[in-house]
Amino acid sequence: MQRRTGLRFRRVLLAASLAAGLVACGAPGAPGGDGGQAADPQAVPDKPSKPVELNILDIAGNLQLTKQMIENFKAAHPEVLAKVTYSTAPAPSMAGKLKAEQDGGVAQTHLVLSGTDGLSAGIANGTLTKILPDFSSRFPNLMQNYLEPAAKMQELANGYGIEVVYYPSGPLLEFNPAAVPAAPASPQELLDWAKAHPEKFQYAQPANSGPGRTFLMGLPYLLGDKDPKDPDKGWDKTWTFLQELGKYVKYYPSGTTETMKNLASGSVDMIMSTTGWDINPRKLGTVPNTVKTAIMQPMHWVTDAQYALIPKGLSPDQESAILQLVAWMLKPDQQAIAYDDGYFYPGPAVKDVTLRMAPQKSQDTIKQFGRPEYEQWIAQYPKETSLPAEQQVKAFDKWNQLVGGSKVGKK
């Protein structure tokens, strides 16, 4: 399964956090420093003087959602794009790769497709071009065109990325209904169930798992904690709950896929999930289509997004082509491709993109493996943005200290 799953996410965020001091001080090459200014928008033409070649780096599994959009643009605009080369890499490698290229004076990576992890690291080490408001004229009515919660995720980019896909994520409970006839409807009911069924509930390490960190970031809302945005001083109820729950968890896998396989094998009966992690693995056959999902109350979605990032050091023609491409990716007919196979369900970041606009393959997948209640839940419950990178680092560190302990990754 082509999933980012937060692989080595903590290391990326920690690097971003450490580098943030350089950003704040206006270090050379950092945002706010001498090297942090974007290319003069006036120097970037509306269209490149000749078709350009672009090397696109995906560090988020994003091409599964957007590659067809890019190919559609290339086919429709041969006067802009002559050739596109794709590559993938783990998110932690991005910032160092861009820095090395730019220090060497040769920008070999022209467009990065990233989650919040790479975005934060790229901002911190000053390797990204400021897109907004410098090139806001290339994206008319950008914020108004986004879905409201997607617009809030765009704000997290601080102008250094353009959001191309969005989903409300979770937290969701995923379970075997033969073993769990009635799903827990609250954190207390989950704790009671886990106590009565030791070692049958599981979630993966939050730093390495989308469902794991969505659960972690969603609990303060479920428990009514003092400050859901402050894991250090505002999550007393959350840490107490997770410590108690941990008494009945055998171990915390290093990634979400392992929890899915454990659910499928019957070694556990209930795990944490998200909309995409529910739909896509059932489509792929990783877990049986008989599993069910449920929400706990008071439900708050924790949102997630992926972005297009432009490295520094590109030519005006390259920047021109990329800006046109990204604007194209935000067109409703192209956004409909993001429904994919439920990988980032729903997927579109802009308004008024319905499943009926998606490719037939996506429609068939969602019809077979989607859940009608998701549409109702997404409309019904509030949506909260993910924690900023620095706060996620604090949350992961505290989870490791107070919760994970000796149970991390050990069966």
Side-chain angles (χ1 to χ4, degrees):
M1 176 162 37
Q2 299 178 41
R3 283 198 166 275
R4 170 165 55 100
T5 72
L7 182 64
R8 287 173 283 180
F9 187 54
R10 181 185 177 282
R11 198 190 320 163
V12 179
L13 294 180
L14 184 58
S17 180
L18 292 173
L22 295 177
V23 177
C25 294
D34 293 340
Q37 301 301 314
D40 179 3
Q42 301 301 319
V44 179
D46 291 337
K47 293 183 178 181
S49 59
K50 62 180 180 180
V52 303
E53 297 184 4
L54 293 181
N55 295 326
I56 298 178
L57 174 64
D58 177 17
I59 60 169
N62 180 268
L63 284 172
Q64 183 167 327
L65 307 171
T66 61
K67 185 176 181 179
Q68 190 58 54
M69 304 178 195
I70 298 168
E71 290 296 315
N72 288 349
F73 179 81
K74 180 174 175 288
H77 294 283
E79 78 283 4
V80 176
L81 280 188
K83 181 181 179 181
V84 180
T85 301
Y86 303 99
S87 62
T88 62
S93 68
M94 182 210 79
K97 175 179 172 60
L98 297 185
K99 188 73 165 60
E101 291 179 9
Q102 292 165 19
D103 287 349
V106 180
Q108 298 174 330
T109 303
H110 308 132
L111 175 64
V112 179
L113 302 173
S114 171
T116 54
D117 43 10
L119 169 68
S120 299
I123 292 174
N125 78 342
T127 53
L128 302 179
T129 291
K130 190 75 177 291
I131 304 174
L132 301 174
D134 305 63
F135 295 102
S136 57
S137 63
R138 312 294 178 103
F139 303 97
N141 301 314
L142 178 70
M143 299 302 285
Q144 295 89 338
N145 290 337
Y146 278 132
L147 296 163
E148 181 180 353
K152 292 180 179 179
M153 290 299 293
Q154 173 61 34
E155 290 174 358
L156 290 182
N158 293 323
Y160 286 92
I162 300 293
E163 181 181 359
V164 291
V165 293
Y166 151 85
Y167 87 132
S169 193
L172 302 177
L173 293 169
E174 187 166 337
F175 60 95
N176 173 6
V180 188
S186 69
Q188 184 59 52
E189 289 188 16
L190 172 61
L191 181 59
D192 293 342
W193 187 92
K195 186 174 183 179
H197 304 84
E199 301 185 354
K200 287 296 187 178
F201 169 76
Q202 189 174 69
Y203 65 98
Q205 299 167 38
N208 297 330
S209 165
R213 64 176 173 269
T214 299
F215 179 45
L216 182 64
M217 290 187 283
L219 272 174
Y221 299 98
L222 288 165
L223 295 169
D225 240 328
K226 182 170 62 176
D227 186 353
K229 297 297 187 183
D230 185 354
D232 187 32
K233 298 179 180 179
W235 286 18
D236 290 349
K237 294 179 181 179
T238 295
W239 298 124
T240 299
F241 174 85
L242 287 173
Q243 286 178 307
E244 184 66 20
L245 181 65
K247 295 177 181 179
Y248 315 107
V249 176
K250 183 177 181 180
Y251 77 104
Y252 302 100
S254 60
T256 313
T257 298
E258 186 174 345
T259 69
M260 293 287 163
K261 292 179 178 178
N262 290 342
L263 180 64
S265 71
S267 60
V268 298
D269 294 327
M270 184 157 49
I271 62 174
M272 293 311 302
S273 191
T274 64
T275 57
W277 269 106
D278 165 44
I279 295 172
N280 195 245
R282 286 188 291 118
K283 158 69 174 176
L284 297 175
T286 306
V287 296
N289 199 24
T290 53
V291 300
K292 301 294 184 183
T293 58
I295 55 176
M296 293 181 286
Q297 296 294 353
M299 175 65 178
H300 285 242
W301 293 101
V302 176
T303 61
D304 199 2
Q306 294 177 351
Y307 305 83
L309 314 178
I310 303 178
K312 289 181 180 176
L314 306 190
S315 71
D317 277 355
Q318 288 170 328
E319 287 196 7
S320 173
I322 291 168
L323 292 168
Q324 288 186 70
L325 169 61
V326 176
W328 167 278
M329 293 166 70
L330 295 177
K331 294 173 58 178
D333 61 335
Q334 300 304 306
Q335 282 280 294
I337 296 170
Y339 278 99
D340 185 56
D341 282 336
Y343 162 64
F344 215 69
Y345 183 83
V350 305
K351 297 174 182 176
D352 303 322
V353 181
T354 66
L355 182 59
R356 286 181 293 180
M357 300 166 62
Q360 189 62 48
K361 179 175 180 288
S362 296
Q363 295 187 43
D364 293 343
T365 295
I366 302 306
K367 181 178 181 180
Q368 182 176 0
F369 297 101
R371 301 191 190 274
E373 58 266 33
Y374 283 168
E375 187 173 350
Q376 175 190 340
W377 292 348
I378 291 170
Q380 181 177 357
Y381 296 111
K383 301 164 190 69
E384 314 292 345
T385 56
S386 301
L387 290 176
E390 185 177 357
Q391 294 302 316
Q392 287 196 39
V393 170
K394 292 180 180 179
F396 299 154
D397 282 344
K398 201 152 187 174
W399 183 89
N400 288 331
Q401 176 188 352
L402 299 178
V403 183
S406 61
K407 292 185 178 182
V408 169
K410 294 184 178 180
K411 298 184 180 180

mmCIF file of all heavy atoms in Angstrom, residues 354-372:
data_model
loop_
_atom_site.group_PDB
_atom_site.id
_atom_site.type_symbol
_atom_site.label_atom_id
_atom_site.label_comp_id
_atom_site.label_asym_id
_atom_site.label_seq_id
_atom_site.Cartn_x
_atom_site.Cartn_y
_atom_site.Cartn_z
ATOM 1 N N THR A 354 -17.781 16.653 -6.232
ATOM 2 C CA THR A 354 -18.548 15.500 -5.767
ATOM 3 C C THR A 354 -17.978 14.201 -6.316
ATOM 4 O O THR A 354 -17.219 14.195 -7.299
ATOM 5 C CB THR A 354 -20.018 15.615 -6.194
ATOM 6 O OG1 THR A 354 -20.090 15.528 -7.634
ATOM 7 C CG2 THR A 354 -20.616 16.948 -5.740
ATOM 8 N N LEU A 355 -18.357 13.102 -5.693
ATOM 9 C CA LEU A 355 -17.895 11.790 -6.134
ATOM 10 C C LEU A 355 -18.345 11.508 -7.566
ATOM 11 O O LEU A 355 -17.649 10.823 -8.327
ATOM 12 C CB LEU A 355 -18.416 10.710 -5.183
ATOM 13 C CG LEU A 355 -17.996 9.279 -5.477
ATOM 14 C CD1 LEU A 355 -16.484 9.122 -5.468
ATOM 15 C CD2 LEU A 355 -18.649 8.316 -4.484
ATOM 16 N N ARG A 356 -19.480 12.054 -7.957
ATOM 17 C CA ARG A 356 -19.970 11.837 -9.330
ATOM 18 C C ARG A 356 -19.050 12.439 -10.382
ATOM 19 O O ARG A 356 -19.101 12.067 -11.556
ATOM 20 C CB ARG A 356 -21.383 12.418 -9.482
ATOM 21 C CG ARG A 356 -22.468 11.604 -8.807
ATOM 22 C CD ARG A 356 -23.838 12.200 -9.015
ATOM 23 N NE ARG A 356 -23.971 13.482 -8.324
ATOM 24 C CZ ARG A 356 -25.071 14.220 -8.336
ATOM 25 N NH1 ARG A 356 -26.129 13.820 -9.030
ATOM 26 N NH2 ARG A 356 -25.122 15.357 -7.678
ATOM 27 N N MET A 357 -18.186 13.360 -9.972
ATOM 28 C CA MET A 357 -17.217 13.958 -10.888
ATOM 29 C C MET A 357 -15.947 13.123 -11.006
ATOM 30 O O MET A 357 -15.114 13.374 -11.875
ATOM 31 C CB MET A 357 -16.859 15.371 -10.413
ATOM 32 C CG MET A 357 -18.035 16.333 -10.346
ATOM 33 S SD MET A 357 -17.660 17.863 -9.417
ATOM 34 C CE MET A 357 -16.352 18.571 -10.407
ATOM 35 N N ALA A 358 -15.769 12.160 -10.105
ATOM 36 C CA ALA A 358 -14.545 11.361 -10.062
ATOM 37 C C ALA A 358 -14.529 10.311 -11.168
ATOM 38 O O ALA A 358 -15.571 9.971 -11.737
ATOM 39 C CB ALA A 358 -14.428 10.677 -8.701
ATOM 40 N N PRO A 359 -13.351 9.778 -11.488
ATOM 41 C CA PRO A 359 -13.270 8.681 -12.461
ATOM 42 C C PRO A 359 -14.145 7.511 -12.027
ATOM 43 O O PRO A 359 -14.368 7.287 -10.832
ATOM 44 C CB PRO A 359 -11.788 8.302 -12.440
ATOM 45 C CG PRO A 359 -11.087 9.550 -11.991
ATOM 46 C CD PRO A 359 -12.019 10.200 -11.020
ATOM 47 N N GLN A 360 -14.610 6.747 -12.985
ATOM 48 C CA GLN A 360 -15.524 5.643 -12.688
ATOM 49 C C GLN A 360 -14.892 4.649 -11.720
ATOM 50 O O GLN A 360 -15.570 4.096 -10.836
ATOM 51 C CB GLN A 360 -15.932 4.930 -13.976
ATOM 52 C CG GLN A 360 -17.051 3.904 -13.780
ATOM 53 C CD GLN A 360 -18.331 4.539 -13.280
ATOM 54 O OE1 GLN A 360 -18.792 5.551 -13.800
ATOM 55 N NE2 GLN A 360 -18.913 3.955 -12.236
ATOM 56 N N LYS A 361 -13.594 4.425 -11.859
ATOM 57 C CA LYS A 361 -12.901 3.491 -10.958
ATOM 58 C C LYS A 361 -13.029 3.945 -9.506
ATOM 59 O O LYS A 361 -13.267 3.129 -8.603
ATOM 60 C CB LYS A 361 -11.430 3.388 -11.352
ATOM 61 C CG LYS A 361 -10.581 2.469 -10.486
ATOM 62 C CD LYS A 361 -9.169 2.365 -11.064
ATOM 63 C CE LYS A 361 -8.274 1.457 -10.226
ATOM 64 N NZ LYS A 361 -7.915 2.097 -8.946
ATOM 65 N N SER A 362 -12.871 5.244 -9.271
ATOM 66 C CA SER A 362 -13.016 5.774 -7.915
ATOM 67 C C SER A 362 -14.454 5.633 -7.431
ATOM 68 O O SER A 362 -14.701 5.259 -6.272
ATOM 69 C CB SER A 362 -12.596 7.244 -7.871
ATOM 70 O OG SER A 362 -11.228 7.400 -8.171
ATOM 71 N N GLN A 363 -15.399 5.929 -8.311
ATOM 72 C CA GLN A 363 -16.797 5.794 -7.930
ATOM 73 C C GLN A 363 -17.123 4.356 -7.540
ATOM 74 O O GLN A 363 -17.818 4.096 -6.551
ATOM 75 C CB GLN A 363 -17.704 6.240 -9.084
ATOM 76 C CG GLN A 363 -17.596 7.716 -9.421
ATOM 77 C CD GLN A 363 -18.621 8.155 -10.452
ATOM 78 O OE1 GLN A 363 -19.790 7.774 -10.392
ATOM 79 N NE2 GLN A 363 -18.195 8.952 -11.424
ATOM 80 N N ASP A 364 -16.592 3.412 -8.308
ATOM 81 C CA ASP A 364 -16.859 2.002 -8.024
ATOM 82 C C ASP A 364 -16.230 1.581 -6.704
ATOM 83 O O ASP A 364 -16.828 0.839 -5.915
ATOM 84 C CB ASP A 364 -16.328 1.124 -9.158
ATOM 85 C CG ASP A 364 -17.079 1.324 -10.469
ATOM 86 O OD1 ASP A 364 -18.195 1.889 -10.432
ATOM 87 O OD2 ASP A 364 -16.542 0.937 -11.522
ATOM 88 N N THR A 365 -15.006 2.054 -6.454
ATOM 89 C CA THR A 365 -14.326 1.717 -5.199
ATOM 90 C C THR A 365 -15.084 2.254 -3.997
ATOM 91 O O THR A 365 -15.308 1.524 -3.016
ATOM 92 C CB THR A 365 -12.891 2.287 -5.196
ATOM 93 O OG1 THR A 365 -12.129 1.630 -6.211
ATOM 94 C CG2 THR A 365 -12.222 2.074 -3.847
ATOM 95 N N ILE A 366 -15.464 3.525 -4.051
ATOM 96 C CA ILE A 366 -16.157 4.126 -2.916
ATOM 97 C C ILE A 366 -17.539 3.493 -2.746
ATOM 98 O O ILE A 366 -18.007 3.305 -1.613
ATOM 99 C CB ILE A 366 -16.270 5.648 -3.079
ATOM 100 C CG1 ILE A 366 -14.879 6.275 -3.226
ATOM 101 C CG2 ILE A 366 -17.000 6.262 -1.900
ATOM 102 C CD1 ILE A 366 -13.910 5.932 -2.126
ATOM 103 N N LYS A 367 -18.175 3.138 -3.835
ATOM 104 C CA LYS A 367 -19.478 2.475 -3.733
ATOM 105 C C LYS A 367 -19.356 1.144 -3.009
ATOM 106 O O LYS A 367 -20.201 0.773 -2.191
ATOM 107 C CB LYS A 367 -20.073 2.266 -5.131
ATOM 108 C CG LYS A 367 -21.447 1.600 -5.120
ATOM 109 C CD LYS A 367 -22.003 1.456 -6.522
ATOM 110 C CE LYS A 367 -23.381 0.806 -6.503
ATOM 111 N NZ LYS A 367 -23.947 0.646 -7.883
ATOM 112 N N GLN A 368 -18.277 0.399 -3.300
ATOM 113 C CA GLN A 368 -18.109 -0.918 -2.699
ATOM 114 C C GLN A 368 -17.505 -0.861 -1.301
ATOM 115 O O GLN A 368 -17.921 -1.610 -0.415
ATOM 116 C CB GLN A 368 -17.226 -1.791 -3.596
ATOM 117 C CG GLN A 368 -17.033 -3.217 -3.068
ATOM 118 C CD GLN A 368 -16.243 -4.095 -4.026
ATOM 119 O OE1 GLN A 368 -15.833 -3.652 -5.107
ATOM 120 N NE2 GLN A 368 -16.027 -5.332 -3.627
ATOM 121 N N PHE A 369 -16.535 0.043 -1.093
ATOM 122 C CA PHE A 369 -15.791 0.023 0.160
ATOM 123 C C PHE A 369 -15.996 1.264 1.032
ATOM 124 O O PHE A 369 -15.523 1.297 2.177
ATOM 125 C CB PHE A 369 -14.289 -0.138 -0.135
ATOM 126 C CG PHE A 369 -13.955 -1.431 -0.822
ATOM 127 C CD1 PHE A 369 -13.735 -1.465 -2.197
ATOM 128 C CD2 PHE A 369 -13.882 -2.611 -0.106
ATOM 129 C CE1 PHE A 369 -13.432 -2.652 -2.840
ATOM 130 C CE2 PHE A 369 -13.575 -3.807 -0.733
ATOM 131 C CZ PHE A 369 -13.344 -3.835 -2.106
ATOM 132 N N GLY A 370 -16.653 2.273 0.499
ATOM 133 C CA GLY A 370 -16.936 3.453 1.308
ATOM 134 C C GLY A 370 -18.038 3.180 2.318
ATOM 135 O O GLY A 370 -18.646 2.098 2.341
ATOM 136 N N ARG A 371 -18.286 4.142 3.164
ATOM 137 C CA ARG A 371 -19.334 3.998 4.176
ATOM 138 C C ARG A 371 -20.243 5.224 4.111
ATOM 139 O O ARG A 371 -19.768 6.363 4.245
ATOM 140 C CB ARG A 371 -18.712 3.870 5.562
ATOM 141 C CG ARG A 371 -17.765 2.675 5.705
ATOM 142 C CD ARG A 371 -17.399 2.434 7.154
ATOM 143 N NE ARG A 371 -16.324 1.469 7.297
ATOM 144 C CZ ARG A 371 -16.482 0.129 7.341
ATOM 145 N NH1 ARG A 371 -17.696 -0.381 7.224
ATOM 146 N NH2 ARG A 371 -15.436 -0.669 7.500
ATOM 147 N N PRO A 372 -21.537 5.011 3.899
ATOM 148 C CA PRO A 372 -22.460 6.147 3.778
ATOM 149 C C PRO A 372 -22.409 7.084 4.986
ATOM 150 O O PRO A 372 -22.610 8.293 4.848
ATOM 151 C CB PRO A 372 -23.831 5.466 3.654
ATOM 152 C CG PRO A 372 -23.533 4.100 3.119
ATOM 153 C CD PRO A 372 -22.211 3.720 3.699
#
